[in-house]
PDB file of all heavy atoms in Angstrom:
ATOM      1  N   VAL A  21     361.026 163.872  20.829  1.00 35.00           N
ATOM      2  CA  VAL A  21     362.247 164.306  21.378  1.00 35.00           C
ATOM      3  C   VAL A  21     362.106 165.525  22.230  1.00 35.00           C
ATOM      4  O   VAL A  21     362.790 165.696  23.299  1.00 35.00           O
ATOM      5  CB  VAL A  21     363.310 164.567  20.166  1.00 35.00           C
ATOM      6  CG1 VAL A  21     364.520 165.112  20.767  1.00 35.00           C
ATOM      7  CG2 VAL A  21     363.538 163.211  19.616  1.00 35.00           C
ATOM      8  N   GLN A  22     361.379 166.542  21.791  1.00 39.00           N
ATOM      9  CA  GLN A  22     361.153 167.752  22.508  1.00 39.00           C
ATOM     10  C   GLN A  22     360.436 167.510  23.776  1.00 39.00           C
ATOM     11  O   GLN A  22     360.792 168.183  24.787  1.00 39.00           O
ATOM     12  CB  GLN A  22     360.434 168.773  21.621  1.00 39.00           C
ATOM     13  CG  GLN A  22     361.186 169.319  20.420  1.00 39.00           C
ATOM     14  CD  GLN A  22     360.404 170.373  19.639  1.00 39.00           C
ATOM     15  OE1 GLN A  22     359.174 170.268  19.665  1.00 39.00           O
ATOM     16  NE2 GLN A  22     361.066 171.213  18.964  1.00 39.00           N
ATOM     17  N   TRP A  23     359.518 166.539  23.757  1.00 37.00           N
ATOM     18  CA  TRP A  23     358.855 166.291  25.074  1.00 37.00           C
ATOM     19  C   TRP A  23     359.662 165.537  26.037  1.00 37.00           C
ATOM     20  O   TRP A  23     359.663 165.782  27.257  1.00 37.00           O
ATOM     21  CB  TRP A  23     357.698 165.488  24.782  1.00 37.00           C
ATOM     22  CG  TRP A  23     356.872 165.104  25.984  1.00 37.00           C
ATOM     23  CD1 TRP A  23     356.805 163.948  26.607  1.00 37.00           C
ATOM     24  CD2 TRP A  23     356.092 166.040  26.772  1.00 37.00           C
ATOM     25  NE1 TRP A  23     355.969 163.905  27.692  1.00 37.00           N
ATOM     26  CE2 TRP A  23     355.610 165.251  27.944  1.00 37.00           C
ATOM     27  CE3 TRP A  23     355.742 167.332  26.798  1.00 37.00           C
ATOM     28  CZ2 TRP A  23     354.695 165.725  28.800  1.00 37.00           C
ATOM     29  CZ3 TRP A  23     355.014 167.784  27.740  1.00 37.00           C
ATOM     30  CH2 TRP A  23     354.485 167.051  28.654  1.00 37.00           C
ATOM     31  N   ILE A  24     360.610 164.689  25.555  1.00 36.00           N
ATOM     32  CA  ILE A  24     361.377 163.872  26.493  1.00 36.00           C
ATOM     33  C   ILE A  24     362.333 164.854  27.315  1.00 36.00           C
ATOM     34  O   ILE A  24     362.583 164.686  28.461  1.00 36.00           O
ATOM     35  CB  ILE A  24     362.312 162.719  25.771  1.00 36.00           C
ATOM     36  CG1 ILE A  24     361.361 161.762  25.230  1.00 36.00           C
ATOM     37  CG2 ILE A  24     363.380 162.257  26.569  1.00 36.00           C
ATOM     38  CD1 ILE A  24     361.881 160.721  24.418  1.00 36.00           C
ATOM     39  N   GLY A  25     363.102 165.785  26.520  1.00 38.00           N
ATOM     40  CA  GLY A  25     364.050 166.622  27.188  1.00 38.00           C
ATOM     41  C   GLY A  25     363.560 167.992  26.715  1.00 38.00           C
ATOM     42  O   GLY A  25     364.101 168.489  25.710  1.00 38.00           O
ATOM     43  N   TYR A  26     362.719 168.665  27.444  1.00 38.00           N
ATOM     44  CA  TYR A  26     362.216 169.947  26.934  1.00 38.00           C
ATOM     45  C   TYR A  26     362.519 171.113  27.851  1.00 38.00           C
ATOM     46  O   TYR A  26     362.846 170.901  29.048  1.00 38.00           O
ATOM     47  CB  TYR A  26     360.709 169.783  26.667  1.00 38.00           C
ATOM     48  CG  TYR A  26     359.926 169.753  28.076  1.00 38.00           C
ATOM     49  CD1 TYR A  26     359.380 170.985  28.558  1.00 38.00           C
ATOM     50  CD2 TYR A  26     359.636 168.644  28.652  1.00 38.00           C
ATOM     51  CE1 TYR A  26     358.683 171.023  29.656  1.00 38.00           C
ATOM     52  CE2 TYR A  26     358.882 168.637  29.846  1.00 38.00           C
ATOM     53  CZ  TYR A  26     358.323 169.821  30.365  1.00 38.00           C
ATOM     54  OH  TYR A  26     357.689 169.864  31.449  1.00 38.00           O
ATOM     55  N   GLU A  27     362.389 172.264  27.300  1.00 38.00           N
ATOM     56  CA  GLU A  27     362.495 173.422  28.061  1.00 38.00           C
ATOM     57  C   GLU A  27     361.582 174.510  27.450  1.00 38.00           C
ATOM     58  O   GLU A  27     361.451 174.627  26.161  1.00 38.00           O
ATOM     59  CB  GLU A  27     363.903 174.047  27.908  1.00 38.00           C
ATOM     60  CG  GLU A  27     364.115 175.318  28.488  1.00 38.00           C
ATOM     61  CD  GLU A  27     363.923 176.511  27.436  1.00 38.00           C
ATOM     62  OE1 GLU A  27     364.166 176.296  26.347  1.00 38.00           O
ATOM     63  OE2 GLU A  27     363.460 177.500  27.861  1.00 38.00           O
ATOM     64  N   LYS A  28     360.685 175.154  28.285  1.00 38.00           N
ATOM     65  CA  LYS A  28     359.711 176.094  27.726  1.00 38.00           C
ATOM     66  C   LYS A  28     359.704 177.168  28.778  1.00 38.00           C
ATOM     67  O   LYS A  28     360.130 177.117  29.945  1.00 38.00           O
ATOM     68  CB  LYS A  28     358.355 175.470  27.504  1.00 38.00           C
ATOM     69  CG  LYS A  28     357.720 175.028  28.724  1.00 38.00           C
ATOM     70  CD  LYS A  28     356.395 174.277  28.301  1.00 38.00           C
ATOM     71  CE  LYS A  28     355.650 173.804  29.664  1.00 38.00           C
ATOM     72  NZ  LYS A  28     354.461 173.202  29.297  1.00 38.00           N
ATOM     73  N   ARG A  29     358.989 178.294  28.413  1.00 40.00           N
ATOM     74  CA  ARG A  29     358.868 179.484  29.339  1.00 40.00           C
ATOM     75  C   ARG A  29     357.302 179.515  29.606  1.00 40.00           C
ATOM     76  O   ARG A  29     356.536 179.617  28.692  1.00 40.00           O
ATOM     77  CB  ARG A  29     359.366 180.658  28.799  1.00 40.00           C
ATOM     78  CG  ARG A  29     360.874 180.776  28.720  1.00 40.00           C
ATOM     79  CD  ARG A  29     361.455 182.004  28.338  1.00 40.00           C
ATOM     80  NE  ARG A  29     362.901 182.090  28.284  1.00 40.00           N
ATOM     81  CZ  ARG A  29     363.616 182.253  29.378  1.00 40.00           C
ATOM     82  NH1 ARG A  29     362.994 182.584  30.650  1.00 40.00           N
ATOM     83  NH2 ARG A  29     364.908 182.260  29.331  1.00 40.00           N
ATOM     84  N   SER A  30     356.862 179.492  30.923  1.00 39.00           N
ATOM     85  CA  SER A  30     355.575 179.717  31.324  1.00 39.00           C
ATOM     86  C   SER A  30     355.129 181.112  31.040  1.00 39.00           C
ATOM     87  O   SER A  30     355.900 182.180  31.409  1.00 39.00           O
ATOM     88  CB  SER A  30     355.387 179.321  32.632  1.00 39.00           C
ATOM     89  OG  SER A  30     354.193 179.831  33.169  1.00 39.00           O
ATOM     90  N   SER A  31     354.032 181.343  30.404  1.00 38.00           N
ATOM     91  CA  SER A  31     353.490 182.740  30.215  1.00 38.00           C
ATOM     92  C   SER A  31     353.169 183.500  31.409  1.00 38.00           C
ATOM     93  O   SER A  31     353.224 184.579  31.493  1.00 38.00           O
ATOM     94  CB  SER A  31     352.314 182.707  29.295  1.00 38.00           C
ATOM     95  OG  SER A  31     351.160 181.963  29.943  1.00 38.00           O
ATOM     96  N   ALA A  32     352.874 182.674  32.457  1.00 39.00           N
ATOM     97  CA  ALA A  32     352.584 183.332  33.819  1.00 39.00           C
ATOM     98  C   ALA A  32     353.947 183.607  34.519  1.00 39.00           C
ATOM     99  O   ALA A  32     354.118 184.740  35.049  1.00 39.00           O
ATOM    100  CB  ALA A  32     351.772 182.456  34.683  1.00 39.00           C
ATOM    101  N   SER A  33     354.747 182.793  34.720  1.00 46.00           N
ATOM    102  CA  SER A  33     356.008 182.994  35.497  1.00 46.00           C
ATOM    103  C   SER A  33     357.228 183.266  34.761  1.00 46.00           C
ATOM    104  O   SER A  33     358.230 183.843  35.313  1.00 46.00           O
ATOM    105  CB  SER A  33     356.278 181.753  36.340  1.00 46.00           C
ATOM    106  OG  SER A  33     356.595 180.617  35.456  1.00 46.00           O
ATOM    107  N   GLN A  34     357.279 183.076  33.385  1.00 62.00           N
ATOM    108  CA  GLN A  34     358.483 183.294  32.611  1.00 62.00           C
ATOM    109  C   GLN A  34     359.752 182.567  33.061  1.00 62.00           C
ATOM    110  O   GLN A  34     360.757 182.948  33.043  1.00 62.00           O
ATOM    111  CB  GLN A  34     358.852 184.808  32.566  1.00 62.00           C
ATOM    112  CG  GLN A  34     357.686 185.598  31.851  1.00 62.00           C
ATOM    113  CD  GLN A  34     357.641 185.201  30.370  1.00 62.00           C
ATOM    114  OE1 GLN A  34     358.639 185.096  29.597  1.00 62.00           O
ATOM    115  NE2 GLN A  34     356.423 184.863  29.865  1.00 62.00           N
TER     116      GLN A  34
END
Side-chain angles (χ1 to χ4, degrees):
V21 170
Q22 288 177 336
W23 179 253
I24 290 173
Y26 73 93
E27 175 268 328
K28 66 181 180 180
R29 289 184 179 272
S30 162
S31 59
S33 65
Q34 293 298 307

